Amino acid sequence: MLGTDPFIRRRLARRDLPADTVALARYLVGTLLVRELQGERLVGRIVETEAYPPGDPAGHAYFGPTPRLRSLYLARGHAYVYTMHGHNLLNVSSERQGVGAGVLIRAAEPLAGIATLERFRPGVPVRDLARGPGKLAKAFAIDRRLNGTDLCMPGALWLAAANDRRRALVISARIGVTRAPDHPLRFCEQGNAHASHQGGLR
């Protein structure tokens, strides 16, 4: 099945993922988010991420573990899905088991299953279908039921290496955070119109 997909080179294994939150946030830009839904495969190229490393005052894990944050403390490569202002947001756990940290998936470029993505976000241009973390989760039908999913295993949601080459990154401060707002922990693919904002620090 993987070999017949024109976009996917292979499923990502945990050993492929850098064991560091900031390195993982950089690495995930240019990889693929794959959603298996009712026999259809929805694929998006991840074009924007934000890192929330251990000890980050803007991160959910800053005050320590709670039952709600269990997925954030799993080994790197698990989905941490939470709801904010009525929108679901997808994060990838990013450290060793027991260390709370994650990478927010902020935007993706739709590659496959676009008609279904449009059904979940009707009347929206393709450029904007997954341009922002809440929009991405809605377009790919990602909700709290996927919280804790192992993104390195076959299932409803997983990560893959892309067939095309990586492109340059733009690095900037994160969007919408009030603590540590100036830290350069946001990464997006240079020149990609599906990223939410192209402004960068370097």
Side-chain angles (χ1 to χ4, degrees):
M1 186 89 175
L2 291 183
T4 64
D5 193 300
F7 304 109
I8 297 173
R9 187 162 82 244
R10 59 180 175 81
R11 188 186 316 279
L12 290 178
R14 204 159 337 273
R15 64 179 176 273
D16 296 318
L17 306 180
D20 172 85
T21 300
V22 177
L24 180 61
R26 298 174 67 105
Y27 174 83
L28 287 175
V29 176
T31 64
L32 304 180
L33 180 68
V34 184
R35 177 75 163 101
E36 307 281 2
L37 187 67
Q38 298 175 348
E40 184 179 11
R41 178 173 287 173
L42 315 179
V43 181
R45 178 187 179 89
I46 296 173
V47 298
E48 184 179 358
T49 64
E50 285 181 349
Y52 291 84
D56 183 356
H60 283 194
Y62 184 63
F63 295 105
T66 66
R68 184 176 72 89
L69 302 179
R70 182 190 65 83
S71 298
L72 196 56
Y73 285 80
L74 295 175
R76 66 190 186 279
H78 287 79
Y80 167 55
V81 182
Y82 69 93
T83 304
M84 183 175 69
H85 305 310
H87 299 286
N88 294 307
L89 305 180
L90 171 65
N91 297 255
V92 180
S93 63
S94 55
E95 297 282 337
R96 69 181 187 276
Q97 177 125 8
V99 177
V103 173
L104 173 65
I105 308 302
R106 283 198 53 89
E109 176 184 351
L111 298 178
I114 293 175
T116 297
L117 300 177
E118 290 175 325
R119 180 161 55 85
F120 290 129
R121 299 202 65 229
V124 175
V126 171
R127 170 182 169 176
D128 295 326
L129 284 175
R131 194 170 177 244
K135 297 172 183 177
L136 180 149
K138 187 172 183 180
F140 283 85
I142 295 170
D143 58 28
R144 296 270 304 167
R145 290 174 290 184
L146 294 172
N147 186 42
T149 298
D150 188 341
L151 301 173
C152 299
M153 296 292 291
L157 189 66
W158 47 281
L159 296 168
N163 272 324
D164 61 348
R165 295 187 347 182
R166 291 181 178 273
R167 302 166 199 168
L169 289 179
V170 173
I171 304 170
S172 74
R174 296 172 295 190
I175 296 173
V177 299
T178 56
R179 296 172 178 169
D182 299 324
H183 290 188
L185 295 173
R186 177 176 157 270
F187 306 93
C188 67
E189 193 171 71
Q190 187 175 55
N192 194 299
H194 299 267
S196 66
H197 179 62
Q198 280 291 332
L201 300 176
R202 60 179 183 275

